[in-house]
Amino acid sequence: MAELMKGAPVAAAITGQLIQRAERLKEQGVVPTLAIVRVGEKPDDLSYERGACKRCEKVGIAVKQFILPGEYQTQELLDVITQINEDPSIHGCLMFRPLSCKEDEEKVCALLSPAKDVDCITAGSLASVFAGSGEGFAPCTAQAVVALLEHYQVPLSGARVTVVGRSLVIGKPVSMMLQAKNATVTMCHTRTKDLPAECKRAEILVAAAGKAGVIGCEHVTKGQIVVDVGINVDAEGNLCGDVAGSAGDVVAAITPVPGGVGTVTTSILAQHVIEAAEKTI
Ligand code: NAP
């Protein structure tokens, strides 16, 4: 039976030290504040927003919500971002993506102040993740994967890692961040020739394809550490990851879905807001 690498202890450890940092900020007259920008009422966004608000409340971060209807004017959205950029009481901004209009999303990513970009949507933040310069904030989910592995003391230096997925939100940045920890990383995608073989030879497998059950028994081996980033809904309407239950039984350790990476992601978001607020002092 695989060890379950739950997100809750990781989130608790991160949150614990953030509460103290938030208190220190408040003693200096700064209330760490996150702006959340949401367009429409997508269930995924609403669910993440609830988790983010709960985490912020626990840490002592104020949240300002900017909610636009599904049918909005581009200028309305850009005005919200300008308002966030210009408001010194706001330290970080989380905008739910993807937007239905790709051009609008690009405009927002170009407009947001890099100092407030706590989820790595601007080109500058992404570039610093890729360059490994340590400037700017990494995407919260990608950083949550690294935090989870480090919390469970999984050796990364020299480890053979396979990442399934190459999106700018997860696959690519997590590959770069693990490489920066001296792992040897293979990135897979829909055109990978022999996905089972690429997955099987990894000591650490990161599944971020967004397809329920795409990682089956033929992709895993005994002794592997598996991080399941996927959040999907199965045929019965239940939340599930990318890794089939039968595959999870084979490996040494795996993150559950729900209760794994997603739980850590909001703690990393809170960490970024605190760091952004600290930089303003
Ligand atoms: P995405 O933009 O759709 O990217 C999916 C990637 O997986 C693509 O690179 C795609 O390859 C690859 N892929 C898809 N099916 C594949 C297959 N059968 N074999 C090999 N590669 C395959 O998704 P994303 O935004 O990166 O999100 C991935 C998953 O993470 C989703 O389930 C999402 O809900 C979840 N997520 C979790 C959190 C969290 O906090 N846990 C946060 C955000 C997202 P191509 O490039 O060739 O198309």
Side-chain angles (χ1 to χ4, degrees), residues 141 165-167 170 189-190 195 208-211 214 229-232 262 265:
T141 306
R166 57 173 166 181
S167 75
I170 304 169
H189 44 78
T190 52
L195 187 66
K211 297 264 155 57
V214 73
V229 186
I231 299 180
N232 315 296
T265 302

